[in-house]
mmCIF file of all heavy atoms in Angstrom:
data_model
loop_
_atom_site.group_PDB
_atom_site.id
_atom_site.type_symbol
_atom_site.label_atom_id
_atom_site.label_comp_id
_atom_site.label_asym_id
_atom_site.label_seq_id
_atom_site.Cartn_x
_atom_site.Cartn_y
_atom_site.Cartn_z
ATOM 1 N N TYR A 238 125.728 93.299 97.140
ATOM 2 C CA TYR A 238 126.933 93.073 98.006
ATOM 3 C C TYR A 238 126.481 92.690 99.410
ATOM 4 O O TYR A 238 125.572 93.364 99.905
ATOM 5 C CB TYR A 238 127.838 94.353 98.064
ATOM 6 C CG TYR A 238 128.409 94.703 96.700
ATOM 7 C CD1 TYR A 238 127.836 95.594 95.942
ATOM 8 C CD2 TYR A 238 129.647 94.095 96.348
ATOM 9 C CE1 TYR A 238 128.405 95.995 94.634
ATOM 10 C CE2 TYR A 238 130.184 94.402 95.113
ATOM 11 C CZ TYR A 238 129.647 95.419 94.248
ATOM 12 O OH TYR A 238 130.175 95.615 93.080
ATOM 13 N N LEU A 239 127.093 91.803 99.998
ATOM 14 C CA LEU A 239 126.802 91.466 101.381
ATOM 15 C C LEU A 239 127.189 92.614 102.264
ATOM 16 O O LEU A 239 128.064 93.392 101.981
ATOM 17 C CB LEU A 239 127.577 90.247 101.784
ATOM 18 C CG LEU A 239 127.201 88.914 101.034
ATOM 19 C CD1 LEU A 239 128.028 87.750 101.508
ATOM 20 C CD2 LEU A 239 125.745 88.595 101.105
ATOM 21 N N VAL A 240 126.436 92.781 103.391
ATOM 22 C CA VAL A 240 126.682 93.966 104.330
ATOM 23 C C VAL A 240 127.344 93.448 105.550
ATOM 24 O O VAL A 240 126.919 92.498 106.181
ATOM 25 C CB VAL A 240 125.358 94.591 104.525
ATOM 26 C CG1 VAL A 240 125.624 95.855 105.552
ATOM 27 C CG2 VAL A 240 124.583 95.055 103.382
ATOM 28 N N ASN A 241 128.454 94.027 105.897
ATOM 29 C CA ASN A 241 129.227 93.670 106.992
ATOM 30 C C ASN A 241 128.566 94.103 108.295
ATOM 31 O O ASN A 241 127.665 94.941 108.285
ATOM 32 C CB ASN A 241 130.709 94.204 106.936
ATOM 33 C CG ASN A 241 131.460 93.665 105.808
ATOM 34 O OD1 ASN A 241 131.341 92.495 105.464
ATOM 35 N ND2 ASN A 241 132.165 94.539 105.171
ATOM 36 N N ASP A 242 128.974 93.576 109.415
ATOM 37 C CA ASP A 242 128.411 94.004 110.747
ATOM 38 C C ASP A 242 128.449 95.428 110.978
ATOM 39 O O ASP A 242 127.692 96.028 111.716
ATOM 40 C CB ASP A 242 129.021 93.229 111.853
ATOM 41 C CG ASP A 242 128.698 91.685 111.792
ATOM 42 O OD1 ASP A 242 127.680 91.367 111.193
ATOM 43 O OD2 ASP A 242 129.426 90.894 112.405
ATOM 44 N N ASP A 243 129.601 96.075 110.411
ATOM 45 C CA ASP A 243 129.718 97.545 110.678
ATOM 46 C C ASP A 243 129.037 98.401 109.634
ATOM 47 O O ASP A 243 129.234 99.565 109.608
ATOM 48 C CB ASP A 243 131.227 97.850 110.742
ATOM 49 C CG ASP A 243 131.941 97.595 109.419
ATOM 50 O OD1 ASP A 243 131.225 97.151 108.457
ATOM 51 O OD2 ASP A 243 133.118 97.870 109.331
ATOM 52 N N GLU A 244 128.065 97.722 108.843
ATOM 53 C CA GLU A 244 127.318 98.368 107.847
ATOM 54 C C GLU A 244 128.065 98.730 106.577
ATOM 55 O O GLU A 244 127.466 99.289 105.626
ATOM 56 C CB GLU A 244 126.587 99.653 108.363
ATOM 57 C CG GLU A 244 125.829 99.507 109.664
ATOM 58 C CD GLU A 244 124.722 98.356 109.532
ATOM 59 O OE1 GLU A 244 124.137 98.311 108.448
ATOM 60 O OE2 GLU A 244 124.472 97.685 110.502
ATOM 61 N N SER A 245 129.308 98.383 106.485
ATOM 62 C CA SER A 245 130.060 98.541 105.257
ATOM 63 C C SER A 245 129.725 97.462 104.229
ATOM 64 O O SER A 245 129.256 96.393 104.583
ATOM 65 C CB SER A 245 131.611 98.632 105.573
ATOM 66 O OG SER A 245 132.084 97.302 106.057
ATOM 67 N N LEU A 246 130.071 97.649 103.019
ATOM 68 C CA LEU A 246 129.785 96.658 102.015
ATOM 69 C C LEU A 246 130.892 95.678 101.963
ATOM 70 O O LEU A 246 132.044 96.028 101.952
ATOM 71 C CB LEU A 246 129.563 97.332 100.612
ATOM 72 C CG LEU A 246 128.378 98.276 100.516
ATOM 73 C CD1 LEU A 246 128.298 98.771 99.099
ATOM 74 C CD2 LEU A 246 127.144 97.627 100.867
ATOM 75 N N GLY A 247 130.510 94.372 101.893
ATOM 76 C CA GLY A 247 131.479 93.289 101.877
ATOM 77 C C GLY A 247 131.634 92.721 100.435
ATOM 78 O O GLY A 247 131.572 93.441 99.432
ATOM 79 N N GLU A 248 131.733 91.396 100.409
ATOM 80 C CA GLU A 248 132.038 90.801 99.088
ATOM 81 C C GLU A 248 130.784 90.636 98.214
ATOM 82 O O GLU A 248 129.589 90.808 98.683
ATOM 83 C CB GLU A 248 132.557 89.359 99.363
ATOM 84 C CG GLU A 248 131.533 88.470 99.996
ATOM 85 C CD GLU A 248 132.116 87.073 100.242
ATOM 86 O OE1 GLU A 248 133.382 86.939 100.431
ATOM 87 O OE2 GLU A 248 131.339 86.110 100.453
ATOM 88 N N ARG A 249 131.047 90.500 96.983
ATOM 89 C CA ARG A 249 129.912 90.487 95.979
ATOM 90 C C ARG A 249 129.078 89.134 96.134
ATOM 91 O O ARG A 249 129.668 88.086 96.372
ATOM 92 C CB ARG A 249 130.452 90.516 94.566
ATOM 93 C CG ARG A 249 129.473 90.290 93.360
ATOM 94 C CD ARG A 249 128.621 91.504 93.170
ATOM 95 N NE ARG A 249 127.632 91.320 92.185
ATOM 96 C CZ ARG A 249 127.762 91.722 90.912
ATOM 97 N NH1 ARG A 249 128.830 92.306 90.438
ATOM 98 N NH2 ARG A 249 126.739 91.533 90.012
ATOM 99 N N ASN A 250 127.771 89.298 96.151
ATOM 100 C CA ASN A 250 126.855 88.184 96.299
ATOM 101 C C ASN A 250 126.840 87.376 95.005
ATOM 102 O O ASN A 250 127.167 87.860 93.942
ATOM 103 C CB ASN A 250 125.512 88.555 96.711
ATOM 104 C CG ASN A 250 124.821 87.590 97.584
ATOM 105 O OD1 ASN A 250 125.113 86.433 97.627
ATOM 106 N ND2 ASN A 250 123.683 87.986 98.172
ATOM 107 N N ASN A 251 126.311 86.169 94.998
ATOM 108 C CA ASN A 251 126.296 85.279 93.883
ATOM 109 C C ASN A 251 125.085 85.536 93.030
ATOM 110 O O ASN A 251 124.213 84.687 92.840
ATOM 111 C CB ASN A 251 126.387 83.800 94.195
ATOM 112 C CG ASN A 251 127.709 83.465 94.806
ATOM 113 O OD1 ASN A 251 128.710 83.983 94.410
ATOM 114 N ND2 ASN A 251 127.681 82.628 95.848
#
Side-chain angles (χ1 to χ4, degrees):
Y238 292 97
L239 299 179
V240 182
N241 297 321
D242 291 339
D243 63 359
E244 307 301 326
S245 65
L246 296 184
E248 64 182 25
R249 176 74 184 264
N250 209 347
N251 293 323

